[in-house]
Amino acid sequence: GEFDLPLAAAGLYYDFVVQNSTGIKVVANSSATISIMGLAGNTVSASSGNIVNSTPGTAIRLAAINSSQWVAISQNSTAWAVT
């Protein structure tokens, strides 16, 4: 499925778990980026970018650290990718 994050505001947290091989796509709003730890190391999306994963059982927790940045503060896999 696809999930649109709300406007980033410090203190917001969202958890995502991939339920099946259809996968998941998490989309930032037009003024925010998403930073994750992927196979290539730390990766940051463009504004209104997104992250994807299709490996069942993988999970990620995103935290808004200000009004324009979502950061992965925990994840159990590097299968997450910025697209």
Side-chain angles (χ1 to χ4, degrees), residues 30-57:
S30 62
S31 62
T33 61
I34 304 173
S35 177
I36 63 168
M37 183 59 72
L39 291 175
N42 189 46
T43 306
V44 180
S45 76
S47 290
S48 71
N50 61 77
I51 58 172
V52 297
N53 191 332
S54 60
T55 305

Side-chain angles (χ1 to χ4, degrees), residues 8-38:
L12 291 178
Y13 298 88
Y14 283 87
D15 297 306
F16 298 95
V17 178
V18 179
Q19 182 178 0
N20 55 47
S21 60
T22 302
I24 192 171
K25 179 178 183 179
V26 180
V27 183
N29 65 56
S30 62
S31 62
T33 61
I34 304 173
S35 177
I36 63 168
M37 183 59 72

Side-chain angles (χ1 to χ4, degrees), residues 56-70:
T58 55
I60 195 165
R61 183 169 211 200
L62 299 177
I65 60 170
N66 55 40
S67 64
S68 64
Q69 294 176 295
W70 290 94

